[in-house]
Amino acid sequence: MNCDYTLQGIPDMVVKPKTPEEVSEILKVANKYGTKVIPRGNGADLTGGAKPIGDGGIILDVSLMNKILDVDLQNRIVTVEVGISWSELCEQLSNVEIGYYPGSTGPASGFSATIGGGLSNNTVGGGGAAMYGAVTEQCVGLEVVLPTGEIIDTGAKANSFRDKPFTRFGLGADYSGIFLGDVGIHGVKTKASLNIYPLPEFRGYATYVVKKTKEKSAEKRASEVMLKWQHQRLPLHDFFYYTPSTVSGLTSRKIAKGLADNKVRGAILYYTTVADTQRQLDYNIERIEKIAEEAEFRKLGPTVEEGNVGKWFYEEDGKWQWGNSMFGGGSLFGLSGCLKSPTELLPEYGKMYADWVKRNLPKMAEVGAGGGADFVAFGVYPTYIDVAGGAAVISNIDNREGQVELWKDYLITQIKTLGGIHYWMGEIIGRALVDSGALTEEYYNFMITLKKALDPNKILSPGKFYLTDNY
């Protein structure tokens, strides 16, 4: 399902290739006739990454390219077609001998989001983010069809005498990086090779209630603990902070039934950790929980029914469900803006969100927004956080222009106030970076130069960052 809130362009056609060679032929024909092409996975993006800007052109849907091609246990590398979903990849890898997984398990929409989409957005979503980082950190090579139709390999397989990938670096510059986080403007990824890791036999988790004090906000208290966890390099698999209003939303809607049944109020912080032996796990838990205990956080019971969201997150596919309130469904959409931030700025983000809501309450009421903006923050390897949030609106075509203006104001506030580093770079956020002045003239000209060299006929994902408007 495409959860993208931005206005949908209507393409002339949708094509669903099954091979890189078919992708190449499509792009060659598109170059000949000057037809725009927009690569698409399963359309789980929220910010205009998988849709045309304006009408016309070809949607190039790679969802039929969805096979696991090779599992190299010697080098612990899996090679896949990019149309496979994160959940399908994880499911199949878990059945390989002792069981494996690709470190970070993709975004919260990973039940349907594809590998190609995750790599195109530098996705961070949990399921190993604190231990292994964003999904692009695990990529050791790509097969890419360039906008002009040539097919190349990056990483070790760029050496024509190498039959299997094993490292992303070594043959000059990191050319894989040009196509990671590019939201489909530099080429069409068709295959990807990722590191894989054995599924740990032992895991532990706990959930804490974090109350504000007279001296400190809940965000300040949580960030102090999160920083200690990260600075001491403790073996955290994931850790998440939910604001008081997020917890209220989860309990009122019975999404987190254990929190609701136990009448949990205030913010929560939960962690997961993994180990290969019980002794190692006990040692991990002792060190992690000592820091939370010294901060005087109240620990909830060990079961999901007692409010242990950490256990739900790890054992009940919560890694793909924690963000479901952002997707809304039906007529409810999120004006979303996920970004990366230094961990110590968590309190400042709490203040920024509150100030933005206060400033925009009249406008929010006017365009059908829910009257608030909220976020979740979680740890990412090695020492930063992802701040994922947005404001809920009732989609109404009569209010669409005002809603988009509100969204842009929200994004530019994030960009300007604390220098937030967005990684969902569809139409709305990519253009907000340009409109806000965040990109220096020199940096933007470099982006134009690169785009022009790769896509001289302006056919691939035109309009993102306004790049093809400027050459």
Side-chain angles (χ1 to χ4, degrees), residues 5 7 335 363-369 393-407:
Y5 172 73
L7 288 170
L335 307 186
K363 181 68 173 178
M364 296 173 82
E366 180 183 326
V367 301
V393 299
I394 302 298
S395 181
N396 184 314
I397 194 65
D398 295 332
N399 291 331
R400 184 61 53 85
E401 184 176 344
Q403 291 172 343
V404 172
E405 287 177 3
L406 184 68
W407 195 1

Side-chain angles (χ1 to χ4, degrees), residues 58-124:
I58 300 169
I59 292 288
L60 198 159
D61 183 338
V62 300
S63 60
L64 294 182
M65 302 171 67
N66 57 13
K67 299 181 184 65
I68 293 179
L69 301 172
D70 183 63
V71 181
D72 179 357
L73 295 182
Q74 287 290 96
N75 295 295
R76 290 187 177 175
I77 303 288
V78 64
T79 298
V80 301
E81 295 178 325
V82 298
I84 192 171
S85 70
W86 289 96
S87 59
E88 180 63 24
L89 173 60
C90 291
E91 175 67 22
Q92 291 196 40
L93 283 178
S94 68
N95 294 321
V96 176
E97 292 191 5
I98 64 171
Y100 289 81
Y101 74 118
S104 182
T105 53
S109 55
F111 277 127
S112 60
T114 61
I115 301 298
L119 295 177
S120 293
N121 285 280
N122 279 319
T123 291
V124 187

Side-chain angles (χ1 to χ4, degrees), residues 303-373:
T303 67
V304 174
E305 291 73 21
E306 292 170 287
N308 190 356
V309 183
K311 185 178 177 69
W312 165 83
F313 181 87
Y314 194 96
E315 292 194 353
E316 299 183 13
D317 286 331
K319 58 185 175 290
W320 290 314
Q321 298 180 55
W322 65 265
N324 63 5
S325 59
M326 296 182 199
F327 291 85
S331 61
L332 182 66
F333 292 85
L335 307 186
S336 302
C338 289
L339 48 83
K340 300 175 181 181
S341 167
T343 305
E344 71 268 17
L345 291 183
L346 179 59
E348 283 73 13
Y349 272 103
K351 184 177 185 304
M352 183 205 73
Y353 275 73
D355 291 346
W356 183 84
V357 170
K358 184 177 180 180
R359 174 167 60 86
N360 283 285
L361 270 176
K363 181 68 173 178
M364 296 173 82
E366 180 183 326
V367 301

Side-chain angles (χ1 to χ4, degrees), residues 14 23 69 126 131 137 179 253 307 363 396 420 443 448 455:
V14 176
V23 174
L69 301 172
M131 185 166 284
E137 300 274 2
F179 307 100
R253 296 171 63 186
K363 181 68 173 178
N396 184 314
Y443 185 87
I448 293 171
D455 186 15

Side-chain angles (χ1 to χ4, degrees), residues 273-299:
T273 185
V274 295
D276 296 320
T277 67
Q278 184 64 50
R279 182 177 179 181
Q280 183 185 55
L281 180 67
D282 292 341
Y283 182 55
N284 291 352
I285 291 173
E286 179 184 357
R287 291 186 294 158
I288 292 166
E289 296 197 355
K290 180 181 178 183
I291 293 173
E293 290 166 2
E294 289 173 347
E296 298 183 341
F297 291 172
R298 178 169 69 90
K299 185 178 176 182

Side-chain angles (χ1 to χ4, degrees), residues 429-470:
I429 296 180
R431 290 187 164 191
L433 280 168
V434 178
D435 293 338
S436 68
L439 306 179
T440 66
E441 181 179 357
E442 293 79 8
Y443 185 87
Y444 189 60
N445 285 338
F446 169 73
M447 292 178 67
I448 293 171
T449 300
L450 183 59
K451 175 65 172 168
K452 185 177 181 179
L454 292 170
D455 186 15
N457 296 316
K458 308 182 183 182
I459 67 154
L460 195 62
S461 298
K464 291 181 180 178
F465 301 93
Y466 304 108
L467 287 174
T468 49
D469 300 346
N470 291 302

